[in-house]
Amino acid sequence: MFKKSKNKHITPPSPPTLDEILSDIQVDIDLPTVNHNNANHKSSSATTEPATNLESWWQVFEQFMSDLKCLEMVHSELEGCKLKLESQKLEIETESKLLKNDIDEQKNLIKEALD
């Protein structure tokens, strides 16, 4: 099925050079932009478009990170408020039980006085 190679001494492939590795690492990022007026509108200067897209992407990313930090702060404040509300609820329940006991005691005293 397969033919045997005639060359018995095959040299292994050579590793890539530093220049080849660096050229492979470099990636051109071309993010699409959406124009609200015309979605099919193309920029007249194609050389600045990737840079503008990249800057726009970073602005969106930085805004996202800022919003995330704000959301985390709001979440922690809400957790603090939740704990505070739970402690207030417990305090109110305790006070209501004490007041109810006082009222029941007063009712019993009144009932004994009337009998």
Side-chain angles (χ1 to χ4, degrees), residues 11 25 28 40 44 49-50 59 64 73 88 97 103-104:
T11 59
I25 290 175
D28 293 329
N40 295 328
S44 61
E49 188 173 333
Q59 289 173 351
F64 169 78
M73 288 187 342
Q88 291 291 326
K97 286 179 183 178
I103 290 172
D104 289 342

Side-chain angles (χ1 to χ4, degrees), residues 9-94:
H9 304 288
I10 298 175
T11 59
S14 61
T17 64
L18 179 62
D19 292 331
E20 290 173 339
I21 293 173
L22 291 177
S23 68
D24 287 343
I25 290 175
Q26 292 177 352
V27 177
D28 293 329
I29 299 174
D30 186 23
L31 299 174
T33 59
V34 176
N35 187 350
H36 294 289
N37 296 334
N38 184 0
N40 295 328
H41 177 70
K42 299 285 182 178
S43 178
S44 61
S45 64
T47 57
T48 60
E49 188 173 333
T52 315
N53 290 340
L54 189 59
E55 290 172 9
S56 170
W57 185 89
W58 275 109
Q59 289 173 351
V60 170
F61 178 75
E62 289 172 354
Q63 182 64 42
F64 169 78
M65 292 305 292
S66 173
D67 292 345
L68 183 63
K69 287 179 184 177
C70 290
L71 183 63
E72 288 172 347
M73 288 187 342
V74 167
H75 181 70
S76 65
E77 288 177 8
L78 283 175
E79 287 297 319
C81 290
K82 182 179 174 183
L83 291 174
K84 190 174 181 180
L85 281 172
E86 288 174 353
S87 69
Q88 291 291 326
K89 179 182 174 186
L90 185 61
E91 184 178 332
I92 288 172
E93 287 174 350
T94 305

